[in-house]
Amino acid sequence: MDTLHNTYNKGGFMEIPQLPNEVVKRDLHFFLLVDCSSSMKGKKIASLNHAVSETLPAILDAVKGHPEVSVKFRAIKFSTGASWHIGSLTEAIPIEKVIWRDLTADGWTETDKAISMLTDVLDIELMPRRGYPPVCLLLSDGYCTSEIGCYENAIKKLDSIPWGKKAVRIAIAIGDESEYDEAELLKFVNVKDENGNPVLLKAHNTQELVHYIKWASVAASIGASISKSKSSGDDSQHVIIPSPSAAPISSSTDVF
């Protein structure tokens, strides 16, 4: 019978030999930033709640082919201010244990507050050293209503930290193009699809919103899990996700 011998690294710490066929899991942190301002009331927020509920099991199913990946989920809601909806600054929830609680809508659109919270949690001391690039999905239907410069400062701070730069950051714009600031949302996006286009998706109706939330979540999670970037010391962006698939055709009466 073979005997396992304890070995020590240069620092004197005991290393436990890896057992044959043992899968070493690494965390993939998924963050959802959700606009809950008053303009999201009605069909938009209802569709979003439905979409997220369907997306969670879809992500879990998608990563089954990658047993080395452990998806941890958190959600930030923002309107007048921002707060944790799922998880917290120091606690991420295994995706198989997440139960989505429906959001309601009211207040302003202080997107910068949510981005600042995301930046805080992406601090290198709070994130796993050997984790996969975090996936960050921003959903919004309006302009940031905070004071001028707040949004830009929040983006600069996010871009200044290693995990902020390495994260897979995607945005979904909800509703009519005249109601949100596309240039503003593009500042959050830092990943491109296989055709070189920034991944900013535009959902004009319920079907598109459900489709794009599910597509972006699964595509980004798989893209991050197969990324060659597994170390926070490498600031380059290696994650490229496929071009988005077409959303289901809907009637003109279903537009938000």
Side-chain angles (χ1 to χ4, degrees), residues 42-58:
K43 187 185 296 184
K44 289 180 182 177
I45 199 69
S47 301
L48 186 149
N49 284 320
H50 171 67
V52 176
S53 296
E54 287 197 349
T55 294
L56 295 174

Side-chain angles (χ1 to χ4, degrees), residues 66-87:
H66 302 271
E68 72 281 6
V69 180
S70 177
V71 180
K72 302 295 179 61
F73 184 86
R74 276 178 273 205
I76 299 171
K77 60 182 179 180
F78 64 94
S79 55
T80 304
S83 61
W84 290 104
H85 183 60
I86 302 287

